[in-house]
Amino acid sequence: GDDCAVLPPSRRRRLVTVDPVVFGEHFDDNLPPAAAGAKLMRRNLSDIAAMGGRPSAAVVSLALDPSVKTAWLRQFYRGLAQTALRHGVRVVGGDITRLRGGLAASLTLVGEASPARVLTRSGARRGDRLFVTGELGGSLLGKHWRFEPRLAEGAWLARQPAVRSLTDVSDGLAKDALPLRPAGCVAAVDPARVPVSAAAQKLSRRDNLPPLAHALCDGEDYELLFALDGRADAARFETAWRRRFPKLRLSRVGVFAARTPAGFVNLGTFHGYEHFR
Amino acid sequence: GDDCAVLPPSRRRRLVTVDPVVFGEHFDDNLPPAAAGAKLMRRNLSDIAAMGGRPSAAVVSLALDPSVKTAWLRQFYRGLAQTALRHGVRVVGGDITRLRGGLAASLTLVGEASPARVLTRSGARRGDRLFVTGELGGSLLGKHWRFEPRLAEGAWLARQPAVRSLTDVSDGLAKDALPLRPAGCVAAVDPARVPVSAAAQKLSRRDNLPPLAHALCDGEDYELLFALDGRADAARFETAWRRRFPKLRLSRVGVFAARTPAGFVNLGTFHGYEHFR
């Protein structure tokens, strides 16, 4: 009801992220409105997870054609609000406006940085190992909206001093690993270690592209991708992970190195699906 | 470049607001792109002003048709960035996505509350006087994007204990005064005291509606509207205002009362332009 939402003061740094969902781009009539609303919230939650933070409050901006039904809107908001509630996020404000012939919703999520630190995309050094959570590829079959933002995992990673940089996989591992590269290094991935999802296998049976292509290029996985100090004991780190997150697969997929090791793929020279044609 | 923007910690409460500009609603091809960008920033600045706060950082979400020219986008952003700079706002993040056949830009502005207090729409009591800054009506002729957000004025009002509630005029005085009404009161306005702008006069010569109708109903004035304690010395308050803001007109337009005084208009029974037909 007021001109602004009011958030309490905080001794921690604030994180702010904004991501939209647009009809025809991020969802369409095949997706129930509640799922589209949930996706909007989850996309932004994943950005907070990718900095090791904790989400706190959101504002939503809706632009829609007058023909959009109230029932649609109610379901959309319900999906958004339920997802918010489950992650302790208060939806504190918003705005609705008219957009002829379209439907675009943008959410701004405010969070708090971990007291440990803010994990960014930069910080990796030569010799650091590249890890990814979960399984990759084929998100189009459902994961693109049903994914679980890796908030607990991101917060835990922020507390591990050997973790040097972090991001989430939104455009596909092949693209998202590149901004993490230290200067003078390649991002080299061992194809045998890439965690290919069952959905990627399924899509590959349809389109005859290798499952690995889907895993590396599909995007919208919303898994965490991070660099571990090359001098750290990786096996021990993996044990600590399994103890803390026994149900979530963790894969040591590659390394930042001066040259591409034999049998590895240099993601910098990797051009998406084309690589496999 | 990172998944979130990082803001420093603050001992003050944070204000968050979100407002869009949509092609066909808030601007069209008659408005230069830099003006549309400036308007987007100013609309949000006015919301911070309307709570007595100070703006600090913004994130922008753009959704646009692939046919939108880069030159258009550059000018739009320049207008936005220059306005941000002039008000000490850092644009810390954003997002661009595709929207077929449309152009919608949403800005989220984060600010700090005044150390004095947060002025909201509620707080007025029976007998409080209603004040408005500047002049009203006819914003379509230019003010709708060229207006000056009343940030210094809002911050000053937050420090005056006799000021009890505050908002900005975005939908027109006739509408925006209503949420300020105390329970059991009418918002009564003296038509003779409404500051009618030259633009309202000009429009009225075109469409034969009374200038007062434009002043009360046009909207997009982005002036401040506030309630002053009925027991306060209004003349003294006005003197203090003139000393601090000699160039900005201040009008004592009405009162919150149990009944509508003779010669006043009860805004609650006022139905926009219809009233004057």
Side-chain angles (χ1 to χ4, degrees), chain A residues 126-166:
Chain A
R126 179 180 300 182
D128 284 4
R129 266 76 54 98
L130 197 56
F131 283 82
V132 72
T133 65
E135 298 176 342
L136 305 176
S139 68
L140 206 65
L141 298 185
K143 195 184 178 187
H144 76 97
W145 69 270
R146 240 187 340 240
F147 65 96
E148 195 59 47
R150 304 300 187 194
L151 285 158
E153 293 81 359
W156 185 84
L157 291 171
R159 291 195 301 272
Q160 313 306 313
V163 174
R164 281 182 159 154
S165 64
L166 175 63

Side-chain angles (χ1 to χ4, degrees), chain A residues 1-5 7 9-11 14-17 19-20 25-26 47 61 95 97-98 106 108 121 167-168, chain B residues 1-5 7 9-11 14-17 19-20 25-26 47 61 95 97-98 106 108 121 167-168:
Chain A
D2 261 302
D3 297 290
C4 301
L7 304 184
S10 168
R11 279 179 308 177
R14 298 266 188 190
L15 305 176
V16 184
T17 183
D19 260 311
E25 295 297 321
H26 306 96
D47 283 329
S61 181
D95 178 89
T97 192
R98 189 162 45 183
S106 175
T108 302
R121 291 181 186 171
T167 191
D168 66 338
Chain B
D2 261 302
D3 297 290
C4 301
L7 305 183
S10 168
R11 279 179 309 178
R14 297 268 187 189
L15 306 176
V16 185
T17 183
D19 260 312
E25 294 297 321
H26 305 96
D47 283 328
S61 181
D95 178 89
T97 192
R98 187 162 47 184
S106 175
T108 302
R121 291 181 186 170
T167 191
D168 66 338

Side-chain angles (χ1 to χ4, degrees), chain A residues 18 44 54 134 144 163 172 181 186 206-207 209 255:
Chain A
V18 60
N44 285 278
R54 192 174 64 183
H144 76 97
V163 174
R181 264 182 311 181
V186 297
R206 288 191 198 166
D207 63 14
L209 280 172
V255 65

Side-chain angles (χ1 to χ4, degrees), chain A:
Chain A
D2 261 302
D3 297 290
C4 301
V6 185
L7 304 184
S10 168
R11 279 179 308 177
R12 297 191 186 166
R13 281 175 289 178
R14 298 266 188 190
L15 305 176
V16 184
T17 183
V18 60
D19 260 311
V21 292
V22 171
F23 186 87
E25 295 297 321
H26 306 96
F27 70 99
D28 58 25
D29 283 331
N30 292 318
L31 200 64
K39 176 172 183 173
L40 176 59
M41 180 57 76
R42 288 191 186 119
R43 292 189 78 195
N44 285 278
L45 288 168
S46 186
D47 283 329
I48 298 282
M51 303 277 281
R54 192 174 64 183
S56 47
V59 293
V60 191
S61 181
L62 285 171
L64 40 88
D65 191 88
S67 72
V68 175
K69 300 254 190 323
T70 312
W72 191 97
L73 205 58
R74 199 181 296 124
Q75 288 301 319
F76 178 87
Y77 189 78
R78 186 166 299 168
L80 191 156
Q82 280 175 350
T83 308
L85 190 67
R86 217 150 55 78
H87 293 281
V89 173
R90 289 184 307 136
V91 181
V92 294
D95 178 89
I96 290 196
T97 192
R98 189 162 45 183
L99 172 65
R100 294 201 184 279
L103 204 169
S106 175
L107 187 136
T108 302
L109 184 58
V110 179
E112 292 197 332
S114 163
R117 61 180 162 152
V118 173
L119 264 174
T120 67
R121 291 181 186 171
S122 56
R125 297 187 206 166
R126 179 180 300 182
D128 284 4
R129 266 76 54 98
L130 197 56
F131 283 82
V132 72
T133 65
E135 298 176 342
L136 305 176
S139 68
L140 206 65
L141 298 185
K143 195 184 178 187
H144 76 97
W145 69 270
R146 240 187 340 240
F147 65 96
E148 195 59 47
R150 304 300 187 194
L151 285 158
E153 293 81 359
W156 185 84
L157 291 171
R159 291 195 301 272
Q160 313 306 313
V163 174
R164 281 182 159 154
S165 64
L166 175 63
T167 191
D168 66 338
V169 184
S170 51
D171 294 331
L173 177 64
K175 266 194 190 167
D176 291 319
L178 301 184
L180 269 56
R181 264 182 311 181
C185 284
V186 297
V189 157
D190 178 354
R193 284 175 176 256
V194 174
V196 178
S197 72
Q201 309 273 7
K202 196 169 171 182
L203 270 192
S204 128
R205 284 190 295 272
R206 288 191 198 166
D207 63 14
N208 289 319
L209 280 172
L212 183 63
H214 284 292
L216 291 176
C217 306
D218 283 356
E220 295 220 62
D221 301 297
Y222 301 105
E223 295 292 346
L224 294 182
L225 179 66
F226 60 92
L228 185 78
D229 187 337
R231 298 162 309 180
D233 183 336
R236 202 167 143 183
F237 177 85
E238 287 164 330
T239 304
W241 174 275
R242 276 195 301 274
R243 205 175 301 132
R244 179 69 184 81
F245 302 108
K247 289 176 180 168
L248 184 60
R249 186 167 168 185
L250 181 68
S251 304
R252 197 194 313 178
V253 289
V255 65
F256 293 117
R259 266 166 300 175
T260 312
F264 279 54
V265 173
N266 174 0
L267 295 180
T269 62
F270 188 89
H271 299 295
Y273 290 146
E274 304 308 319
H275 196 83
F276 294 98
R277 285 189 194 273

Side-chain angles (χ1 to χ4, degrees), chain B residues 170-194:
Chain B
S170 51
D171 294 332
L173 177 65
K175 266 193 189 167
D176 290 320
L178 301 183
L180 270 55
R181 264 182 311 182
C185 285
V186 298
V189 157
D190 178 354
R193 285 178 176 254
V194 174

Side-chain angles (χ1 to χ4, degrees), chain B residues 40-60:
Chain B
L40 176 59
M41 179 58 75
R42 288 192 186 118
R43 292 189 77 195
N44 284 277
L45 289 166
S46 186
D47 283 328
I48 297 282
M51 304 277 281
R54 192 175 64 183
S56 46
V59 293
V60 190

